[in-house]
Amino acid sequence: MNFVALRMLTGDRAKYFGLVFAIAFCTFLLENQTTIFANIMKRTASQILDVTDAEVWVMDPQTEYWEQTKALKDTDLTRVRSVPGVQWAVRLFKGNPVARTLDGKFAVSFLIGIDDATLAGAPRKMLLGSWERLGEPDSIIVDKSGLHPAVP
């Protein structure tokens, strides 16, 4: 019986190679789409996962996704700090301010604030500057186009 099935499968070479190609291509697409989905999910949570100091995140119950931020009230923060077993709790600031570049153009920037006492949420690897600069007071430089925050 297996011989008849094998003969039917390989009897027409064009159909056989078409079938093998279709199965291989479908398998490739399935793996490709799975990888894309996994990476999208990883990127969605990357900002949360980058803060390794926090084991638990507390967000407003109406929060649907990371980009939709609503600041917790002082009473909510106090309630979180009063939970037994919680050693510390701080707010995470996230915003999209418009900044003026050194050449005078405006650009939307991505700003994540960190706790100044514990530096919780600070990046583990800094491309420019150093951790010590975070403790310094803000400095201002002046050029022909006006005031700009100093770049480390």
Side-chain angles (χ1 to χ4, degrees), residues 59-71 94:
M59 296 183 183
D60 187 86
Q62 301 300 318
T63 302
E64 296 176 2
Y65 53 92
W66 168 252
E67 292 296 324
Q68 177 190 13
T69 57
K70 181 180 177 190
K94 183 179 156 301

Side-chain angles (χ1 to χ4, degrees), residues 4-50:
V4 174
L6 187 60
R7 256 335 248 176
M8 289 176 67
L9 184 62
T10 60
D12 186 1
R13 294 188 120 198
K15 287 182 185 176
Y16 175 70
F17 285 123
L19 181 65
V20 169
F21 176 76
I23 291 172
F25 188 68
C26 287
T27 304
F28 167 74
L29 285 180
L30 179 69
E31 289 300 317
N32 187 23
Q33 294 301 315
T34 304
T35 303
I36 290 171
F37 175 73
N39 283 324
I40 288 173
M41 290 295 107
K42 184 177 177 184
R43 287 179 145 233
T44 301
S46 68
Q47 293 173 347
I48 294 174
L49 295 174
D50 285 344

